[in-house]
Amino acid sequence: MQDPFFRRNAQGATSRLDYWSMDSEYGELQDVLIGPMEHYSWQKGNAMSLRSIRLGREFDKHIAQQQYQEMLDVYQHCGVKTHFLKADENLPYQIYARDSSVLTPWGPMITQMYSPWRRGEWVAVSKFYQENNIPVYEAVTAGAFEGGDFMVLEPGVILCGYTGERTSEAGLKQVRSWVEKEGWEFKSYQFDPYFLHLDVKFAMLSEKLAAVCTQAVEDELLDWLKSRGIDIIDISYRSVLELGVNVVALGNDRVLIPQASKELVGKAKAHGLEVYQPDMSMFTSGGGGVHCMCQPLSRKDA
């Protein structure tokens, strides 16, 4: 029996949505959900923001607003329709819209946030889907599960990282059971909590091309990627410290990369990709980059 609130078929074989769906991380991006920045400030709850504070960096909201607009201008230029979550003054990290829901091949899924200052984010994201008549696939209820660890890698395959914190083993197992019932492969990869989410050190750039910090992942993941015929652009550990691998594939061999990630910008261009590179330093210093800030709502099938 189908849940009246969620469209997931308990027996599997849930139908794809006509529009609010994706089957890869690199299909042409059509619609994206962006978090608000009105109440954004750096929190001392992750290694990246703590490092910035230790280095004496300071948050400047005026500069942050300019950088935020520059990112939105890229989406507009590339023909991507932007949607926005309603701001809540109690949610300083609501801007990182990637985490509070994810887009699956069968529609959006509400996640379960780990950090105390983020647990209320499910309210705004649930209201967004309801108000825009976007059917929700399911909602995570076991443990914690955050979208920065979840990737619709390519048609038929989900890759999901977990540290035991932001994505817990219980949350991972619950989502795995749903995905496998739909007939998709679900590859899990465990790593250290220091790296926050998988999207800090791994990103799909285009079909069969990924950026990976090979110094920060185990051979298990590298061997699995290679077995799938995925070419790897190796990015240094120092770049990871500035969230230089946290990027957005726009589709059609276009990619959004923070300006400071000069290493990946150069290597992506060398692979023939068209690169858009806004300055996002006010956000990467706070622990999240452009990938964290966008939740795809629709991608064309790969």
Side-chain angles (χ1 to χ4, degrees), residues 20-276:
W20 307 109
S21 177
M22 62 188 278
D23 72 350
S24 77
E25 287 289 318
Y26 50 81
E28 183 180 342
L29 185 61
Q30 300 181 115
D31 286 72
V32 66
L33 179 60
I34 305 290
M37 70 153 293
E38 285 93 322
H39 308 293
Y40 176 67
S41 62
W42 296 353
Q43 301 294 302
K44 297 179 180 180
N46 66 63
M48 306 299 174
S49 58
L50 285 172
R51 175 175 178 265
S52 295
I53 293 169
R54 175 173 57 81
L55 292 174
R57 297 174 182 172
E58 295 182 357
F59 177 68
D60 186 314
K61 188 165 187 177
H62 179 68
I63 294 175
Q65 288 172 329
Q66 292 176 332
Q67 294 179 353
Y68 183 80
Q69 186 58 51
E70 189 177 353
M71 177 190 70
L72 298 181
D73 290 345
V74 171
Y75 286 125
Q76 182 179 17
H77 174 78
C78 293
V80 181
K81 186 176 180 181
T82 51
H83 307 256
F84 299 89
L85 291 171
K86 290 182 180 178
D88 185 323
E89 64 181 359
N90 300 297
L91 302 173
Y93 266 23
Q94 191 183 18
I95 190 170
Y96 297 127
R98 169 73 54 164
D99 297 321
S100 53
S101 70
V102 297
L103 185 64
T104 78
W106 313 281
M109 178 174 69
I110 308 298
T111 62
Q112 190 71 261
M113 305 302 293
Y114 168 77
S115 300
W117 57 86
R118 300 198 67 181
R119 288 178 187 158
E121 291 182 21
W122 69 271
V123 176
V125 76
S126 298
K127 286 181 178 179
F128 170 82
Y129 291 124
Q130 182 181 41
E131 291 168 358
N132 288 275
N133 297 312
I134 301 175
V136 173
Y137 172 65
E138 188 52 278
V140 176
T141 58
F145 191 96
E146 297 190 356
D149 286 321
F150 181 90
M151 298 184 186
V152 185
L153 191 77
E154 57 185 8
V157 184
I158 300 291
L159 171 62
C160 191
Y162 70 107
T163 64
E165 290 186 357
R166 285 166 175 80
T167 294
S168 68
E169 190 170 1
L172 180 98
K173 286 181 176 178
Q174 185 178 42
V175 175
R176 176 201 290 275
S177 69
W178 298 337
V179 169
E180 291 183 342
K181 279 187 179 180
E182 305 296 356
W184 276 50
E185 178 183 350
F186 187 94
K187 168 64 177 176
S188 62
Y189 172 71
Q190 188 173 15
F191 60 97
D192 295 329
Y194 173 83
F195 290 104
L196 314 180
H197 292 130
L198 183 60
D199 65 1
V200 169
K201 51 188 177 176
F202 174 90
M204 289 299 290
L205 304 179
S206 62
E207 185 175 4
K208 298 298 183 183
L209 181 64
V212 187
C213 178
T214 61
Q215 295 173 309
V217 301
E218 305 296 341
D219 289 343
E220 170 208 347
L221 180 61
L222 298 174
D223 291 344
W224 181 79
L225 292 169
K226 291 172 183 175
S227 75
R228 301 202 61 82
I230 295 174
D231 292 329
I232 292 173
I233 295 178
D234 189 13
I235 299 300
S236 69
Y237 182 79
R238 175 157 292 278
S239 186
V240 166
L241 292 177
E242 301 292 346
L243 286 161
V245 188
N246 194 268
V247 305
V248 178
L250 298 167
N252 300 324
D253 292 329
R254 302 168 301 166
V255 63
L256 176 60
I257 302 175
Q259 185 182 89
S261 184
K262 299 185 185 303
E263 181 184 6
L264 182 53
V265 167
K267 291 181 176 181
K269 288 182 176 180
H271 278 76
L273 301 181
E274 183 178 0
V275 177
Y276 296 88

